[in-house]
Amino acid sequence: MKPLKGLGRHVALSMGLGAFMGVLSSYLGIYLLYLAAYSFYPNLLPKEDNGILLPTTPELLVLALVAALVLLVTITMALRLAGRIVAPLASVAQAARRISEGDLTARAQADDDLPGEAALLVSDFNSMADRLEEIAHDVITWNAQIAHELRTPLTILRGRLLGMIDGVFSPDDAQLHRLLKQVEGLSRLVEDLRIVSLLDSGEMRLERIEVDLAREIAEFGELVEPGLVEAGFSLTISPAPGKAVLDMTRIRQALLALVDNAQRHANPCDLCVEASMHADTVEIRVVDQGPGLPDDFARDAFKLFAQGKQTEGGSRAGSGLGLSVVQAIAKAHGGSAFYGVDGQACFFALSVPRWAPPSLSAAAGAI
């Protein structure tokens, strides 16, 4: 057994000293009890012939032997117990020190027979370390992805502008519209990042008002239908009559991201925007006819910068931010976004409270 230091040593010494004092106190207590009996009730116990009440040499030897045995057993048990208590604490401390030095792969080690609290401590620490490593990896991935998404339009803008300066391209309306398209793409990327960051920081502001959802969905359909028809899609609107308290600017933004996602990745089909009204919730679906998401990607589809494999019929790759924005807007409303399959059809949906919860209303007003 390794020599214990620090807390383990204190535990072992304290338990050993406590056991020795217990034996000594027990002997003294018994002696005092017999002394009282001899003094006040002499007829109960026979006196020694010499009248001496002090412990004899054999009695002292027995006392020393018993104390030594008890001390040996207690210290042995204390050392084992202290080792089981201190070992996971030392492992957690060592792993925490390595993480503070930048080694995010460090984990605390634990035996299978640890006490419940110690095992829970090690498990919680390792879960925290896993999360910390995942966040650090995500930050690196996000930075690389943001740089990649910004580089392409910036390169096009720089090339076109240099071409205009050198006289390679003439600054006509067609060229300016191409540049404007790249600028709009950059603006949308920045806005998507802003929305996701606002949700992460808890500062997304919603302007909830009572709206006629059927009318809002119909107006949204009129807005996106020309672009869908141009891409080979048709559009069907299935609105639900009724009132709801929503931030329709954000809801339209989420629906636009879902329609754009379908336009990028779904096969040309009749795209359906369905709204259903319940007593306490509103659900809006964007339904296409596939090919849908692979099973191994569906659970990660709403993560930041998540991108599946480009489908054969898909028109172009996106930034991987659209579905993250949809989820952020849904969560800001107190709801969620999800993906599902209904027969041959696939859909992305927002499910949000129909009426603003008091806590969310107060939070939005305080921002």
Side-chain angles (χ1 to χ4, degrees):
M1 181 178 294
K2 295 181 180 180
L4 293 177
K5 299 179 181 180
L7 179 60
R9 183 178 179 182
H10 283 295
V11 171
L13 291 179
S14 298
M15 291 186 66
L17 181 61
F20 177 77
M21 294 302 296
V23 172
L24 185 61
S25 299
S26 298
Y27 185 83
L28 290 177
I30 293 174
Y31 179 75
L32 292 175
L33 178 64
Y34 272 85
L35 179 62
Y38 275 122
S39 301
F40 297 104
Y41 305 98
N43 297 327
L44 294 178
L45 298 172
K47 287 189 177 181
E48 298 291 340
D49 295 337
N50 56 10
I52 298 176
L53 298 179
L54 295 175
T56 62
T57 300
E59 290 173 339
L60 290 175
L61 290 176
V62 170
L63 170 63
L65 179 61
V66 171
L69 289 175
V70 170
L71 190 60
L72 178 62
V73 172
T74 303
I75 290 180
T76 301
M77 295 178 63
L79 289 174
R80 292 178 61 86
L81 179 61
R84 294 184 65 192
I85 294 175
V86 173
L89 296 179
S91 180
V92 168
Q94 183 180 11
R97 191 176 304 110
R98 289 173 57 192
I99 289 176
S100 68
E101 294 172 353
D103 182 9
L104 298 182
T105 63
R107 298 293 183 272
Q109 305 297 322
D111 297 330
D112 295 335
D113 60 344
L114 280 179
E117 293 80 0
L120 185 61
L121 171 66
V122 172
S123 176
D124 289 345
F125 176 85
N126 287 338
S127 296
M128 180 188 67
D130 290 340
R131 179 59 179 157
L132 182 62
E133 184 179 14
E134 181 182 353
I135 291 174
H137 178 268
D138 287 345
V139 169
I140 296 173
T141 302
W142 297 344
N143 289 339
Q145 191 67 35
I146 291 172
H148 172 75
E149 294 297 332
L150 291 175
R151 184 171 60 245
T152 300
L154 288 176
T155 301
I156 295 174
L157 283 171
R158 183 175 182 275
R160 293 286 177 176
L161 291 173
L162 287 176
M164 290 180 184
I165 293 173
D166 295 338
V168 177
F169 303 113
S170 59
D172 54 19
D173 289 345
Q175 290 293 342
L176 293 177
H177 277 92
R178 292 190 185 99
L179 295 179
L180 181 60
K181 186 175 181 181
Q182 298 301 324
V183 173
E184 289 172 349
L186 284 173
S187 299
R188 182 169 181 178
L189 176 62
V190 172
E191 177 63 16
D192 288 348
L193 288 169
R194 190 182 73 89
I195 290 174
V196 174
S197 64
L198 283 175
L199 178 69
D200 289 341
S201 62
E203 295 182 358
M204 179 177 285
R205 179 176 181 178
L206 297 181
E207 297 181 0
R208 297 170 179 266
I209 58 173
E210 186 176 286
V211 297
D212 183 342
L213 188 61
R215 183 171 61 85
E216 295 288 346
I217 296 296
E219 291 179 355
F220 172 78
E222 294 175 0
L223 174 67
V224 300
E225 187 172 16
L228 289 171
V229 171
E230 184 179 348
F233 290 81
S234 59
L235 180 65
T236 300
I237 299 295
S238 179
K243 302 287 186 178
V245 177
L246 304 169
D247 184 339
M248 277 309 301
T249 299
R250 295 298 189 189
I251 295 296
R252 278 192 297 269
Q253 191 173 12
L255 290 178
L256 186 61
L258 292 180
V259 170
D260 181 71
N261 182 75
Q263 189 173 336
R264 289 174 185 269
H265 303 293
N267 298 326
C269 62
D270 180 33
L271 196 68
C272 185
V273 179
E274 303 175 349
S276 56
M277 195 85 69
H278 307 284
D280 297 320
T281 60
V282 173
E283 184 174 306
I284 308 174
R285 294 185 177 188
V286 176
V287 186
D288 61 63
Q289 299 303 314
L293 300 180
D295 292 338
D296 58 346
F297 177 69
R299 63 178 177 272
D300 298 325
F302 290 93
K303 291 184 178 179
L304 198 62
F305 292 118
Q307 290 181 315
K309 293 182 180 180
Q310 184 72 3
T311 59
E312 185 176 348
S315 58
R316 61 197 187 280
S319 65
L321 281 172
L323 294 180
S324 301
V325 170
V326 174
Q327 188 69 273
I329 292 172
K331 287 184 176 180
H333 278 81
S336 63
F338 56 93
Y339 167 77
V341 178
D342 185 6
Q344 297 296 320
C346 309
F347 64 87
F348 287 92
L350 291 121
S351 179
V352 297
R354 183 174 179 180
W355 314 111
S359 58
L360 291 178
S361 299
I367 296 174

